[in-house]
Amino acid sequence: QSRSSAALELLAPWAGMAAKGGGGGGSAAAELEEETGTGAAAAQAVDVARDLEGRPLTRGWVAAMVGLSAGQGDEGELVSYEAPEGSAARGMMSEACRLTLKWADGVDGAGGSVPNSVFYKRIVMGDLEHVQLKARTAPLKIARDVKSYAVEAKFLGSQGVAELIATDGIRIAKCFGSDLRPDSKSPIDSKFARPS
């Protein structure tokens, strides 16, 4: 059994990655294989699809980030999500992946009220090797980087960007929400997450 399959078996039921509920006796990897229809379990970016504390994203959190109300945001509406490894990016200053969302019957994800997918960007400064190096060699630059992440999130969530999104012919990412945790006393402990 591959390491990815073993990780999926441990994480899938809790995180919602292609979870089918009910414990039908099959492994999470087999359920994922059936869900994706690929004939083989697709590799998942489980290291990126985590919250700012390092836990796998919950379906409830993802649903809330795309704007479902408390009545709709229970884990029954978002059936599962996938974080295909092919969509993942692990850069010097952030990690990101596309989350493909599967909604319950009656929830329109095909251009309707909720998206079929979101691009999830995660920045935990202390986890990034480049930031750890920067803390030793140029610590003041970390505070600058923290401010730039806040500026990016505020820009993408601004009224101006919302108006651009509504304009035909202009494509820009819609920021569904953000979890900003800047730490001015210890910038390396700052954390940011944003699905768009």
Side-chain angles (χ1 to χ4, degrees):
Q1 181 178 23
S2 73
R3 290 174 59 187
S4 294
S5 295
L8 284 175
E9 284 190 40
L10 291 172
L11 298 174
W14 189 75
M17 282 194 184
K20 294 191 179 210
S27 71
E31 289 178 3
L32 178 60
E33 180 177 323
E34 181 181 321
E35 183 70 34
T36 60
T38 61
Q44 299 290 306
V46 295
D47 62 318
V48 178
R50 297 179 295 144
D51 68 15
L52 295 178
E53 303 306 320
R55 298 178 299 256
L57 296 174
T58 65
R59 290 171 289 166
W61 185 87
V62 174
M65 279 290 121
V66 299
L68 292 181
S69 68
Q72 297 171 306
D74 65 335
E75 293 195 6
E77 291 295 322
L78 180 61
V79 176
S80 65
Y81 69 85
E82 294 179 16
E85 181 61 41
S87 74
R90 294 168 187 84
M92 291 180 8
M93 299 302 290
S94 67
E95 301 171 327
C97 67
R98 178 148 309 277
L99 301 177
T100 305
L101 311 175
K102 180 177 180 196
W103 299 95
D105 292 340
V107 178
D108 186 9
S113 60
V114 295
N116 284 327
S117 70
V118 294
F119 189 74
Y120 178 67
K121 184 174 182 179
R122 179 180 185 271
I123 303 163
V124 177
M125 301 292 276
D127 288 356
L128 299 168
E129 191 175 316
H130 181 73
V131 175
Q132 293 170 9
L133 173 65
K134 196 181 282 190
R136 293 188 301 275
T137 60
L140 295 178
K141 289 186 176 182
I142 296 174
R144 176 204 63 193
D145 296 340
V146 167
K147 288 178 184 175
S148 73
Y149 294 132
V151 167
E152 174 186 355
K154 287 178 183 175
F155 168 74
L156 289 173
S158 72
Q159 181 62 36
V161 167
E163 291 171 9
L164 286 173
I165 290 170
T167 304
D168 284 338
I170 298 178
R171 295 188 56 157
I172 190 165
K174 176 181 180 181
C175 184
F176 288 102
S178 56
D179 185 355
L180 306 176
R181 302 181 196 176
D183 188 329
S184 59
K185 292 183 181 178
S186 179
I188 198 165
D189 293 326
S190 298
K191 303 173 182 183
F192 308 92
R194 177 182 50 81
S196 59

PDB file of all heavy atoms in Angstrom, residues 92-94 121 123 125 128 130-135 137-153 180 182-183 187-188 190-192:
ATOM      1  N   MET A  92       8.024  29.005  -2.040  1.00  0.00           N
ATOM      2  CA  MET A  92       8.878  29.498  -0.957  1.00  0.00           C
ATOM      3  C   MET A  92       8.070  30.219   0.114  1.00  0.00           C
ATOM      4  O   MET A  92       8.425  30.184   1.281  1.00  0.00           O
ATOM      5  CB  MET A  92       9.942  30.454  -1.521  1.00  0.00           C
ATOM      6  CG  MET A  92      10.965  29.754  -2.357  1.00  0.00           C
ATOM      7  SD  MET A  92      12.277  30.785  -3.077  1.00  0.00           S
ATOM      8  CE  MET A  92      12.114  32.367  -2.373  1.00  0.00           C
ATOM      9  N   MET A  93       6.989  30.880  -0.302  1.00  0.00           N
ATOM     10  CA  MET A  93       6.252  31.732   0.628  1.00  0.00           C
ATOM     11  C   MET A  93       4.812  31.294   0.887  1.00  0.00           C
ATOM     12  O   MET A  93       4.099  31.953   1.648  1.00  0.00           O
ATOM     13  CB  MET A  93       6.252  33.178   0.115  1.00  0.00           C
ATOM     14  CG  MET A  93       7.645  33.776  -0.007  1.00  0.00           C
ATOM     15  SD  MET A  93       8.572  33.780   1.540  1.00  0.00           S
ATOM     16  CE  MET A  93       7.672  35.003   2.465  1.00  0.00           C
ATOM     17  N   SER A  94       4.362  30.215   0.262  1.00  0.00           N
ATOM     18  CA  SER A  94       3.003  29.731   0.502  1.00  0.00           C
ATOM     19  C   SER A  94       2.835  28.335  -0.078  1.00  0.00           C
ATOM     20  O   SER A  94       3.680  27.855  -0.833  1.00  0.00           O
ATOM     21  CB  SER A  94       1.967  30.673  -0.112  1.00  0.00           C
ATOM     22  OG  SER A  94       2.061  30.650  -1.516  1.00  0.00           O
ATOM     23  N   LYS A 121      -5.286  28.739  -0.612  1.00  0.00           N
ATOM     24  CA  LYS A 121      -3.921  29.189  -0.337  1.00  0.00           C
ATOM     25  C   LYS A 121      -3.713  29.180   1.168  1.00  0.00           C
ATOM     26  O   LYS A 121      -4.525  29.722   1.922  1.00  0.00           O
ATOM     27  CB  LYS A 121      -3.707  30.595  -0.894  1.00  0.00           C
ATOM     28  CG  LYS A 121      -2.295  31.099  -0.740  1.00  0.00           C
ATOM     29  CD  LYS A 121      -2.138  32.436  -1.450  1.00  0.00           C
ATOM     30  CE  LYS A 121      -0.729  32.963  -1.370  1.00  0.00           C
ATOM     31  NZ  LYS A 121      -0.596  34.247  -2.084  1.00  0.00           N
ATOM     32  N   ILE A 123      -0.776  29.770   4.284  1.00  0.00           N
ATOM     33  CA  ILE A 123       0.535  30.296   4.649  1.00  0.00           C
ATOM     34  C   ILE A 123       0.676  30.167   6.160  1.00  0.00           C
ATOM     35  O   ILE A 123      -0.043  30.826   6.915  1.00  0.00           O
ATOM     36  CB  ILE A 123       0.686  31.778   4.249  1.00  0.00           C
ATOM     37  CG1 ILE A 123       0.450  31.949   2.756  1.00  0.00           C
ATOM     38  CG2 ILE A 123       2.062  32.307   4.661  1.00  0.00           C
ATOM     39  CD1 ILE A 123       0.165  33.372   2.343  1.00  0.00           C
ATOM     40  N   MET A 125       3.712  30.768   8.351  1.00  0.00           N
ATOM     41  CA  MET A 125       5.069  31.289   8.203  1.00  0.00           C
ATOM     42  C   MET A 125       6.119  30.364   8.813  1.00  0.00           C
ATOM     43  O   MET A 125       7.132  30.080   8.193  1.00  0.00           O
ATOM     44  CB  MET A 125       5.169  32.690   8.822  1.00  0.00           C
ATOM     45  CG  MET A 125       4.218  33.706   8.223  1.00  0.00           C
ATOM     46  SD  MET A 125       4.595  34.153   6.543  1.00  0.00           S
ATOM     47  CE  MET A 125       5.824  35.409   6.814  1.00  0.00           C
ATOM     48  N   LEU A 128       7.348  27.254   6.753  1.00  0.00           N
ATOM     49  CA  LEU A 128       8.000  27.429   5.456  1.00  0.00           C
ATOM     50  C   LEU A 128       9.514  27.551   5.624  1.00  0.00           C
ATOM     51  O   LEU A 128      10.013  28.426   6.338  1.00  0.00           O
ATOM     52  CB  LEU A 128       7.436  28.671   4.747  1.00  0.00           C
ATOM     53  CG  LEU A 128       5.942  28.613   4.466  1.00  0.00           C
ATOM     54  CD1 LEU A 128       5.417  29.976   4.038  1.00  0.00           C
ATOM     55  CD2 LEU A 128       5.654  27.560   3.399  1.00  0.00           C
ATOM     56  N   HIS A 130      11.861  28.609   3.670  1.00  0.00           N
ATOM     57  CA  HIS A 130      12.428  29.896   3.256  1.00  0.00           C
ATOM     58  C   HIS A 130      12.237  30.961   4.337  1.00  0.00           C
ATOM     59  O   HIS A 130      13.121  31.795   4.566  1.00  0.00           O
ATOM     60  CB  HIS A 130      11.809  30.359   1.933  1.00  0.00           C
ATOM     61  CG  HIS A 130      12.359  31.646   1.430  1.00  0.00           C
ATOM     62  ND1 HIS A 130      13.624  31.746   0.892  1.00  0.00           N
ATOM     63  CD2 HIS A 130      11.839  32.893   1.393  1.00  0.00           C
ATOM     64  CE1 HIS A 130      13.849  32.997   0.548  1.00  0.00           C
ATOM     65  NE2 HIS A 130      12.782  33.718   0.835  1.00  0.00           N
ATOM     66  N   VAL A 131      11.101  30.933   5.000  1.00  0.00           N
ATOM     67  CA  VAL A 131      10.834  31.910   6.053  1.00  0.00           C
ATOM     68  C   VAL A 131      11.732  31.629   7.262  1.00  0.00           C
ATOM     69  O   VAL A 131      12.221  32.557   7.918  1.00  0.00           O
ATOM     70  CB  VAL A 131       9.348  31.926   6.443  1.00  0.00           C
ATOM     71  CG1 VAL A 131       9.087  32.849   7.611  1.00  0.00           C
ATOM     72  CG2 VAL A 131       8.499  32.330   5.243  1.00  0.00           C
ATOM     73  N   GLN A 132      11.975  30.368   7.542  1.00  0.00           N
ATOM     74  CA  GLN A 132      12.882  30.027   8.642  1.00  0.00           C
ATOM     75  C   GLN A 132      14.285  30.556   8.360  1.00  0.00           C
ATOM     76  O   GLN A 132      14.944  31.105   9.257  1.00  0.00           O
ATOM     77  CB  GLN A 132      12.899  28.522   8.861  1.00  0.00           C
ATOM     78  CG  GLN A 132      11.584  27.982   9.365  1.00  0.00           C
ATOM     79  CD  GLN A 132      11.522  26.463   9.345  1.00  0.00           C
ATOM     80  OE1 GLN A 132      12.517  25.787   9.113  1.00  0.00           O
ATOM     81  NE2 GLN A 132      10.336  25.928   9.596  1.00  0.00           N
ATOM     82  N   LEU A 133      14.735  30.434   7.114  1.00  0.00           N
ATOM     83  CA  LEU A 133      16.036  30.992   6.718  1.00  0.00           C
ATOM     84  C   LEU A 133      16.012  32.512   6.851  1.00  0.00           C
ATOM     85  O   LEU A 133      16.947  33.121   7.378  1.00  0.00           O
ATOM     86  CB  LEU A 133      16.373  30.587   5.280  1.00  0.00           C
ATOM     87  CG  LEU A 133      17.615  31.240   4.683  1.00  0.00           C
ATOM     88  CD1 LEU A 133      18.870  30.789   5.428  1.00  0.00           C
ATOM     89  CD2 LEU A 133      17.726  30.921   3.201  1.00  0.00           C
ATOM     90  N   LYS A 134      14.934  33.116   6.381  1.00  0.00           N
ATOM     91  CA  LYS A 134      14.802  34.575   6.447  1.00  0.00           C
ATOM     92  C   LYS A 134      14.802  35.057   7.901  1.00  0.00           C
ATOM     93  O   LYS A 134      15.320  36.139   8.202  1.00  0.00           O
ATOM     94  CB  LYS A 134      13.508  35.007   5.744  1.00  0.00           C
ATOM     95  CG  LYS A 134      13.456  36.469   5.417  1.00  0.00           C
ATOM     96  CD  LYS A 134      12.149  36.830   4.747  1.00  0.00           C
ATOM     97  CE  LYS A 134      12.141  36.419   3.300  1.00  0.00           C
ATOM     98  NZ  LYS A 134      10.970  36.960   2.570  1.00  0.00           N
ATOM     99  N   ALA A 135      14.256  34.271   8.818  1.00  0.00           N
ATOM    100  CA  ALA A 135      14.240  34.642  10.230  1.00  0.00           C
ATOM    101  C   ALA A 135      15.665  34.755  10.781  1.00  0.00           C
ATOM    102  O   ALA A 135      15.929  35.585  11.657  1.00  0.00           O
ATOM    103  CB  ALA A 135      13.444  33.625  11.036  1.00  0.00           C
ATOM    104  N   THR A 137      18.445  35.328   8.696  1.00  0.00           N
ATOM    105  CA  THR A 137      19.278  36.222   7.887  1.00  0.00           C
ATOM    106  C   THR A 137      18.700  37.616   7.671  1.00  0.00           C
ATOM    107  O   THR A 137      19.461  38.565   7.493  1.00  0.00           O
ATOM    108  CB  THR A 137      19.547  35.583   6.509  1.00  0.00           C
ATOM    109  OG1 THR A 137      18.299  35.369   5.850  1.00  0.00           O
ATOM    110  CG2 THR A 137      20.289  34.263   6.656  1.00  0.00           C
ATOM    111  N   ALA A 138      17.398  37.760   7.644  1.00  0.00           N
ATOM    112  CA  ALA A 138      16.753  39.063   7.394  1.00  0.00           C
ATOM    113  C   ALA A 138      15.399  39.113   8.097  1.00  0.00           C
ATOM    114  O   ALA A 138      14.357  39.197   7.452  1.00  0.00           O
ATOM    115  CB  ALA A 138      16.595  39.280   5.899  1.00  0.00           C
ATOM    116  N   PRO A 139      15.401  39.080   9.436  1.00  0.00           N
ATOM    117  CA  PRO A 139      14.133  38.959  10.176  1.00  0.00           C
ATOM    118  C   PRO A 139      13.143  40.093   9.948  1.00  0.00           C
ATOM    119  O   PRO A 139      11.938  39.873  10.029  1.00  0.00           O
ATOM    120  CB  PRO A 139      14.578  38.890  11.638  1.00  0.00           C
ATOM    121  CG  PRO A 139      15.962  39.419  11.665  1.00  0.00           C
ATOM    122  CD  PRO A 139      16.556  39.154  10.323  1.00  0.00           C
ATOM    123  N   LEU A 140      13.608  41.288   9.641  1.00  0.00           N
ATOM    124  CA  LEU A 140      12.684  42.400   9.429  1.00  0.00           C
ATOM    125  C   LEU A 140      11.832  42.203   8.170  1.00  0.00           C
ATOM    126  O   LEU A 140      10.734  42.757   8.069  1.00  0.00           O
ATOM    127  CB  LEU A 140      13.437  43.729   9.363  1.00  0.00           C
ATOM    128  CG  LEU A 140      14.145  44.137  10.665  1.00  0.00           C
ATOM    129  CD1 LEU A 140      14.901  45.437  10.471  1.00  0.00           C
ATOM    130  CD2 LEU A 140      13.159  44.247  11.818  1.00  0.00           C
ATOM    131  N   LYS A 141      12.326  41.415   7.227  1.00  0.00           N
ATOM    132  CA  LYS A 141      11.563  41.168   6.001  1.00  0.00           C
ATOM    133  C   LYS A 141      10.326  40.316   6.266  1.00  0.00           C
ATOM    134  O   LYS A 141       9.370  40.363   5.505  1.00  0.00           O
ATOM    135  CB  LYS A 141      12.444  40.517   4.945  1.00  0.00           C
ATOM    136  CG  LYS A 141      13.473  41.465   4.380  1.00  0.00           C
ATOM    137  CD  LYS A 141      14.233  40.825   3.244  1.00  0.00           C
ATOM    138  CE  LYS A 141      15.202  41.822   2.617  1.00  0.00           C
ATOM    139  NZ  LYS A 141      15.916  41.223   1.496  1.00  0.00           N
ATOM    140  N   ILE A 142      10.336  39.556   7.338  1.00  0.00           N
ATOM    141  CA  ILE A 142       9.169  38.729   7.654  1.00  0.00           C
ATOM    142  C   ILE A 142       7.973  39.624   7.990  1.00  0.00           C
ATOM    143  O   ILE A 142       6.854  39.371   7.537  1.00  0.00           O
ATOM    144  CB  ILE A 142       9.471  37.736   8.791  1.00  0.00           C
ATOM    145  CG1 ILE A 142      10.546  36.754   8.332  1.00  0.00           C
ATOM    146  CG2 ILE A 142       8.205  36.983   9.201  1.00  0.00           C
ATOM    147  CD1 ILE A 142      11.023  35.828   9.424  1.00  0.00           C
ATOM    148  N   ALA A 143       8.191  40.672   8.755  1.00  0.00           N
ATOM    149  CA  ALA A 143       7.104  41.601   9.088  1.00  0.00           C
ATOM    150  C   ALA A 143       6.544  42.230   7.812  1.00  0.00           C
ATOM    151  O   ALA A 143       5.329  42.402   7.679  1.00  0.00           O
ATOM    152  CB  ALA A 143       7.599  42.671  10.047  1.00  0.00           C
ATOM    153  N   ARG A 144       7.406  42.561   6.861  1.00  0.00           N
ATOM    154  CA  ARG A 144       6.963  43.113   5.576  1.00  0.00           C
ATOM    155  C   ARG A 144       6.101  42.099   4.837  1.00  0.00           C
ATOM    156  O   ARG A 144       5.049  42.429   4.289  1.00  0.00           O
ATOM    157  CB  ARG A 144       8.181  43.488   4.724  1.00  0.00           C
ATOM    158  CG  ARG A 144       7.840  43.972   3.330  1.00  0.00           C
ATOM    159  CD  ARG A 144       8.974  43.772   2.365  1.00  0.00           C
ATOM    160  NE  ARG A 144       9.278  42.343   2.222  1.00  0.00           N
ATOM    161  CZ  ARG A 144      10.379  41.886   1.648  1.00  0.00           C
ATOM    162  NH1 ARG A 144      11.287  42.706   1.186  1.00  0.00           N
ATOM    163  NH2 ARG A 144      10.579  40.590   1.531  1.00  0.00           N
ATOM    164  N   ASP A 145       6.537  40.833   4.836  1.00  0.00           N
ATOM    165  CA  ASP A 145       5.778  39.783   4.158  1.00  0.00           C
ATOM    166  C   ASP A 145       4.404  39.590   4.794  1.00  0.00           C
ATOM    167  O   ASP A 145       3.407  39.401   4.087  1.00  0.00           O
ATOM    168  CB  ASP A 145       6.555  38.466   4.177  1.00  0.00           C
ATOM    169  CG  ASP A 145       7.858  38.531   3.395  1.00  0.00           C
ATOM    170  OD1 ASP A 145       8.001  39.426   2.535  1.00  0.00           O
ATOM    171  OD2 ASP A 145       8.738  37.682   3.649  1.00  0.00           O
ATOM    172  N   VAL A 146       4.340  39.639   6.113  1.00  0.00           N
ATOM    173  CA  VAL A 146       3.063  39.497   6.819  1.00  0.00           C
ATOM    174  C   VAL A 146       2.098  40.592   6.364  1.00  0.00           C
ATOM    175  O   VAL A 146       0.926  40.337   6.079  1.00  0.00           O
ATOM    176  CB  VAL A 146       3.278  39.527   8.352  1.00  0.00           C
ATOM    177  CG1 VAL A 146       1.958  39.705   9.094  1.00  0.00           C
ATOM    178  CG2 VAL A 146       3.985  38.262   8.805  1.00  0.00           C
ATOM    179  N   LYS A 147       2.591  41.820   6.268  1.00  0.00           N
ATOM    180  CA  LYS A 147       1.745  42.934   5.831  1.00  0.00           C
ATOM    181  C   LYS A 147       1.280  42.729   4.390  1.00  0.00           C
ATOM    182  O   LYS A 147       0.140  43.037   4.050  1.00  0.00           O
ATOM    183  CB  LYS A 147       2.493  44.257   5.960  1.00  0.00           C
ATOM    184  CG  LYS A 147       2.675  44.686   7.396  1.00  0.00           C
ATOM    185  CD  LYS A 147       3.462  45.982   7.487  1.00  0.00           C
ATOM    186  CE  LYS A 147       3.713  46.340   8.942  1.00  0.00           C
ATOM    187  NZ  LYS A 147       4.566  47.519   9.078  1.00  0.00           N
ATOM    188  N   SER A 148       2.150  42.188   3.536  1.00  0.00           N
ATOM    189  CA  SER A 148       1.757  41.998   2.132  1.00  0.00           C
ATOM    190  C   SER A 148       0.655  40.947   2.000  1.00  0.00           C
ATOM    191  O   SER A 148      -0.211  41.068   1.139  1.00  0.00           O
ATOM    192  CB  SER A 148       2.967  41.632   1.261  1.00  0.00           C
ATOM    193  OG  SER A 148       3.400  40.316   1.500  1.00  0.00           O
ATOM    194  N   TYR A 149       0.646  39.919   2.851  1.00  0.00           N
ATOM    195  CA  TYR A 149      -0.425  38.919   2.809  1.00  0.00           C
ATOM    196  C   TYR A 149      -1.755  39.553   3.195  1.00  0.00           C
ATOM    197  O   TYR A 149      -2.792  39.264   2.598  1.00  0.00           O
ATOM    198  CB  TYR A 149      -0.119  37.731   3.727  1.00  0.00           C
ATOM    199  CG  TYR A 149       1.061  36.921   3.283  1.00  0.00           C
ATOM    200  CD1 TYR A 149       2.058  36.560   4.173  1.00  0.00           C
ATOM    201  CD2 TYR A 149       1.195  36.501   1.962  1.00  0.00           C
ATOM    202  CE1 TYR A 149       3.150  35.811   3.771  1.00  0.00           C
ATOM    203  CE2 TYR A 149       2.284  35.756   1.548  1.00  0.00           C
ATOM    204  CZ  TYR A 149       3.258  35.416   2.463  1.00  0.00           C
ATOM    205  OH  TYR A 149       4.324  34.676   2.063  1.00  0.00           O
ATOM    206  N   ALA A 150      -1.732  40.427   4.201  1.00  0.00           N
ATOM    207  CA  ALA A 150      -2.962  41.104   4.609  1.00  0.00           C
ATOM    208  C   ALA A 150      -3.471  42.023   3.496  1.00  0.00           C
ATOM    209  O   ALA A 150      -4.675  42.081   3.231  1.00  0.00           O
ATOM    210  CB  ALA A 150      -2.722  41.898   5.890  1.00  0.00           C
ATOM    211  N   VAL A 151      -2.560  42.705   2.817  1.00  0.00           N
ATOM    212  CA  VAL A 151      -2.946  43.583   1.704  1.00  0.00           C
ATOM    213  C   VAL A 151      -3.586  42.760   0.592  1.00  0.00           C
ATOM    214  O   VAL A 151      -4.617  43.141   0.026  1.00  0.00           O
ATOM    215  CB  VAL A 151      -1.726  44.380   1.178  1.00  0.00           C
ATOM    216  CG1 VAL A 151      -2.029  45.046  -0.149  1.00  0.00           C
ATOM    217  CG2 VAL A 151      -1.289  45.407   2.213  1.00  0.00           C
ATOM    218  N   GLU A 152      -2.991  41.604   0.263  1.00  0.00           N
ATOM    219  CA  GLU A 152      -3.543  40.735  -0.786  1.00  0.00           C
ATOM    220  C   GLU A 152      -4.965  40.298  -0.440  1.00  0.00           C
ATOM    221  O   GLU A 152      -5.871  40.382  -1.274  1.00  0.00           O
ATOM    222  CB  GLU A 152      -2.650  39.500  -0.965  1.00  0.00           C
ATOM    223  CG  GLU A 152      -3.198  38.481  -1.925  1.00  0.00           C
ATOM    224  CD  GLU A 152      -2.376  37.198  -1.973  1.00  0.00           C
ATOM    225  OE1 GLU A 152      -1.317  37.105  -1.328  1.00  0.00           O
ATOM    226  OE2 GLU A 152      -2.815  36.268  -2.680  1.00  0.00           O
ATOM    227  N   ALA A 153      -5.174  39.842   0.790  1.00  0.00           N
ATOM    228  CA  ALA A 153      -6.506  39.376   1.196  1.00  0.00           C
ATOM    229  C   ALA A 153      -7.518  40.520   1.169  1.00  0.00           C
ATOM    230  O   ALA A 153      -8.649  40.343   0.709  1.00  0.00           O
ATOM    231  CB  ALA A 153      -6.440  38.752   2.586  1.00  0.00           C
ATOM    232  N   LEU A 180      -7.122  35.390   8.657  1.00  0.00           N
ATOM    233  CA  LEU A 180      -5.866  36.118   8.801  1.00  0.00           C
ATOM    234  C   LEU A 180      -5.483  36.161  10.275  1.00  0.00           C
ATOM    235  O   LEU A 180      -6.264  36.628  11.109  1.00  0.00           O
ATOM    236  CB  LEU A 180      -6.008  37.548   8.270  1.00  0.00           C
ATOM    237  CG  LEU A 180      -6.532  37.700   6.848  1.00  0.00           C
ATOM    238  CD1 LEU A 180      -6.705  39.166   6.505  1.00  0.00           C
ATOM    239  CD2 LEU A 180      -5.602  37.027   5.864  1.00  0.00           C
ATOM    240  N   PRO A 182      -2.273  37.575  11.740  1.00  0.00           N
ATOM    241  CA  PRO A 182      -0.949  38.183  11.838  1.00  0.00           C
ATOM    242  C   PRO A 182      -0.508  38.264  13.293  1.00  0.00           C
ATOM    243  O   PRO A 182      -1.337  38.423  14.189  1.00  0.00           O
ATOM    244  CB  PRO A 182      -1.145  39.569  11.230  1.00  0.00           C
ATOM    245  CG  PRO A 182      -2.590  39.860  11.404  1.00  0.00           C
ATOM    246  CD  PRO A 182      -3.300  38.527  11.353  1.00  0.00           C
ATOM    247  N   ASP A 183       0.776  38.124  13.521  1.00  0.00           N
ATOM    248  CA  ASP A 183       1.336  38.225  14.865  1.00  0.00           C
ATOM    249  C   ASP A 183       2.426  39.275  14.828  1.00  0.00           C
ATOM    250  O   ASP A 183       3.541  39.008  14.377  1.00  0.00           O
ATOM    251  CB  ASP A 183       1.885  36.867  15.308  1.00  0.00           C
ATOM    252  CG  ASP A 183       2.312  36.852  16.761  1.00  0.00           C
ATOM    253  OD1 ASP A 183       2.747  37.902  17.289  1.00  0.00           O
ATOM    254  OD2 ASP A 183       2.224  35.779  17.382  1.00  0.00           O
ATOM    255  N   PRO A 187       6.337  37.828  14.066  1.00  0.00           N
ATOM    256  CA  PRO A 187       5.812  37.649  12.707  1.00  0.00           C
ATOM    257  C   PRO A 187       5.939  36.234  12.148  1.00  0.00           C
ATOM    258  O   PRO A 187       5.106  35.803  11.364  1.00  0.00           O
ATOM    259  CB  PRO A 187       6.614  38.647  11.880  1.00  0.00           C
ATOM    260  CG  PRO A 187       7.034  39.692  12.846  1.00  0.00           C
ATOM    261  CD  PRO A 187       7.257  38.963  14.148  1.00  0.00           C
ATOM    262  N   ILE A 188       6.941  35.477  12.572  1.00  0.00           N
ATOM    263  CA  ILE A 188       7.100  34.117  12.053  1.00  0.00           C
ATOM    264  C   ILE A 188       5.968  33.210  12.532  1.00  0.00           C
ATOM    265  O   ILE A 188       5.717  32.153  11.967  1.00  0.00           O
ATOM    266  CB  ILE A 188       8.485  33.522  12.394  1.00  0.00           C
ATOM    267  CG1 ILE A 188       8.777  32.332  11.474  1.00  0.00           C
ATOM    268  CG2 ILE A 188       8.566  33.155  13.863  1.00  0.00           C
ATOM    269  CD1 ILE A 188      10.200  31.881  11.454  1.00  0.00           C
ATOM    270  N   SER A 190       2.845  34.140  12.351  1.00  0.00           N
ATOM    271  CA  SER A 190       1.657  34.563  11.591  1.00  0.00           C
ATOM    272  C   SER A 190       1.166  33.435  10.700  1.00  0.00           C
ATOM    273  O   SER A 190       1.950  32.611  10.222  1.00  0.00           O
ATOM    274  CB  SER A 190       1.991  35.795  10.747  1.00  0.00           C
ATOM    275  OG  SER A 190       2.353  36.869  11.565  1.00  0.00           O
ATOM    276  N   LYS A 191      -0.176  33.416  10.461  1.00  0.00           N
ATOM    277  CA  LYS A 191      -0.806  32.369   9.663  1.00  0.00           C
ATOM    278  C   LYS A 191      -1.928  32.989   8.835  1.00  0.00           C
ATOM    279  O   LYS A 191      -2.631  33.864   9.312  1.00  0.00           O
ATOM    280  CB  LYS A 191      -1.400  31.282  10.560  1.00  0.00           C
ATOM    281  CG  LYS A 191      -0.416  30.632  11.491  1.00  0.00           C
ATOM    282  CD  LYS A 191      -1.115  29.690  12.449  1.00  0.00           C
ATOM    283  CE  LYS A 191      -0.116  29.074  13.412  1.00  0.00           C
ATOM    284  NZ  LYS A 191      -0.753  28.110  14.315  1.00  0.00           N
ATOM    285  N   PHE A 192      -2.097  32.495   7.615  1.00  0.00           N
ATOM    286  CA  PHE A 192      -3.118  33.009   6.709  1.00  0.00           C
ATOM    287  C   PHE A 192      -3.691  31.865   5.879  1.00  0.00           C
ATOM    288  O   PHE A 192      -2.947  30.990   5.439  1.00  0.00           O
ATOM    289  CB  PHE A 192      -2.531  34.057   5.744  1.00  0.00           C
ATOM    290  CG  PHE A 192      -1.789  35.152   6.445  1.00  0.00           C
ATOM    291  CD1 PHE A 192      -0.431  35.062   6.664  1.00  0.00           C
ATOM    292  CD2 PHE A 192      -2.463  36.277   6.882  1.00  0.00           C
ATOM    293  CE1 PHE A 192       0.258  36.076   7.308  1.00  0.00           C
ATOM    294  CE2 PHE A 192      -1.781  37.295   7.537  1.00  0.00           C
ATOM    295  CZ  PHE A 192      -0.424  37.189   7.757  1.00  0.00           C
TER     296      PHE A 192
END
